[in-house]
Amino acid sequence: MTAVSIMLLAWMIEVGFGWPDWVFKRIRHPVVWIGALISVSDQRLNRVTLGHRSRYVAGACASLFILAGVTSLAIFIARLLPDTWWGWILEAAIASSLLASRSLYEHVRAVARPLQRKELDTARRAVSQIVGRTPDQMDAPEISRAGLESLAENMSDGVVAPIFWGAIFGLPGLAAYKTINTLDSMIGHRRETHAAFGGFAARLDDVANFVPARLTACLLALASARGDVFKTMFRDAGQHRSPNAGWPEAAMAGALQIRLSGPRMYGEDVTQDPWLNAACPDPAPDDMNRGLTLYVRALGLLAGLLFAFIIGERFAST
């Protein structure tokens, strides 16, 4: 079975079962294991007594060591499994743990439902699970913006990118990408404590997400069936502080005819980020459901592309 077929099967398993709670309680989750390695390296190597350059080098070495270790383990597992139907299913089951399409949908829906019922405190608690900004004083439009931005960005990071790299390089490619993404989420931010130590991880994540972010944006644009979404993407994506996240977020904004990004609060700091699709209004609670529908349609297109590629491979091999 080809890598593309394994990824499609893995995705079907993830959509159908997710990562069950009983499994999590017994063995946790692969990302938790990777996160533990990153946390240990951060605690031991990210020393404030070192200069910027030394901390950057230490972070780069730690990132490469963890990446090499996880990828090597994935290569070993992939080679250990037999080339039989049960070996394919087992590999797909392992790969499914590194995809997040179902959990992303559920987390965003957990924000949308109380928001529609005007239960702002519940919605704030739910949105705090998927964004890093301070939710305490968020009003309904701000919660909607945060939820839709997370949906767009994590569609790229949690679904499209892992499937993309897994389809090219199999389980090792998927594991390598997930390691890079976890490194970025844990140490790749711009806070003073990690600006140097996590600088390499952040740049590595930018490279790994360059193509998937733009692919995600195109899927959202095509799923919307609005021709002007591409115009919004190309006009506004570059204004985002992230070189990649702006693409799916701009596509989401254009598809729903709302504005996203803009000022937001992290702790006591307020960022003055520019708006994406600035001429449109803030999203309303109902727009979160529209965003989830768009998300499902876009992923349907991705599944169709994978299936078409598999069919093409079979015709090419005959």
Side-chain angles (χ1 to χ4, degrees):
M1 184 176 281
T2 66
V4 177
S5 299
I6 291 290
M7 284 304 105
L8 186 57
L9 179 58
W11 192 11
M12 292 170 61
I13 293 172
E14 188 269 331
V15 169
F17 302 99
W19 190 250
D21 288 340
W22 66 268
V23 176
F24 183 84
K25 290 177 181 178
R26 284 167 174 77
I27 63 172
R28 309 301 285 176
H29 189 277
V31 172
V32 175
W33 310 336
I34 296 170
L37 291 175
I38 298 169
S39 181
V40 169
S41 69
D42 187 22
Q43 292 170 12
R44 294 186 177 182
L45 300 176
N46 188 15
R47 300 176 182 174
V48 295
T49 55
L50 298 175
H52 182 93
R53 183 184 296 272
S54 296
R55 291 171 79 180
Y56 185 93
V57 172
C61 291
S63 297
L64 290 173
F65 180 80
I66 294 169
L67 176 60
V70 174
T71 306
S72 297
L73 178 61
I75 292 172
F76 174 76
I77 292 172
R79 291 183 176 178
L80 182 66
L81 294 173
D83 191 20
T84 61
W85 66 268
W86 66 267
W88 301 332
I89 293 176
L90 187 55
E91 183 175 355
I94 295 170
S96 71
S97 68
L98 300 176
L99 303 176
S101 62
R102 175 175 175 149
S103 63
L104 176 57
Y105 183 92
E106 291 174 345
H107 276 88
V108 175
R109 186 175 60 174
V111 179
R113 284 182 169 177
L115 194 60
Q116 284 191 306
R117 297 193 297 264
K118 299 182 179 180
E119 298 171 358
L120 291 188
D121 286 340
T122 303
R124 289 183 186 118
R125 285 194 296 271
V127 83
S128 70
Q129 302 298 310
I130 57 175
V131 298
R133 66 193 72 171
T134 306
D136 297 346
Q137 301 301 319
M138 281 184 174
D139 58 17
E142 289 173 323
I143 295 171
S144 298
R145 277 165 46 201
L148 288 169
E149 288 162 14
S150 180
L151 178 63
E153 182 177 359
N154 285 297
M155 176 183 169
S156 176
D157 292 357
V159 188
V160 177
I163 288 175
F164 176 83
W165 290 110
I168 296 175
F169 297 113
L171 180 62
L174 172 57
Y177 171 77
K178 205 63 182 179
T179 303
I180 292 170
N181 190 242
T182 306
L183 281 162
D184 178 66
S185 66
M186 291 186 67
I187 64 173
H189 41 79
R190 302 179 184 183
R191 295 171 190 163
E192 185 178 352
T193 53
H194 290 100
F197 188 76
F200 178 81
R203 300 293 80 74
L204 197 60
D205 185 74
D206 289 343
V207 173
N209 280 300
F210 185 88
V211 174
R214 288 150 182 80
L215 174 59
T216 303
C218 289
L219 289 170
L220 288 169
L222 292 171
S224 73
R226 293 184 61 97
D228 57 351
V229 177
F230 286 97
K231 180 181 178 181
T232 303
M233 285 163 42
F234 286 104
R235 184 192 66 213
D236 292 350
Q239 299 182 51
H240 199 281
R241 59 198 174 103
S242 166
N244 294 318
W247 287 88
E249 288 187 24
M252 180 70 76
L256 301 181
Q257 288 295 283
I258 56 171
R259 66 177 183 175
L260 292 175
S261 195
R264 74 275 308 275
M265 180 175 289
Y266 294 93
E268 297 180 355
D269 299 324
V270 178
T271 65
Q272 297 298 330
D273 293 350
W275 292 101
L276 302 177
N277 207 25
C280 289
D282 281 322
D286 286 343
D287 289 321
M288 291 200 68
N289 284 329
R290 293 174 58 219
L292 285 168
T293 299
L294 181 66
Y295 168 76
V296 172
R297 288 177 180 171
L299 291 186
L301 289 178
L302 178 60
L305 286 174
L306 293 174
F307 187 73
F309 191 87
I310 293 169
I311 298 298
E313 281 185 320
R314 291 194 176 183
F315 274 112
S317 62
T318 57

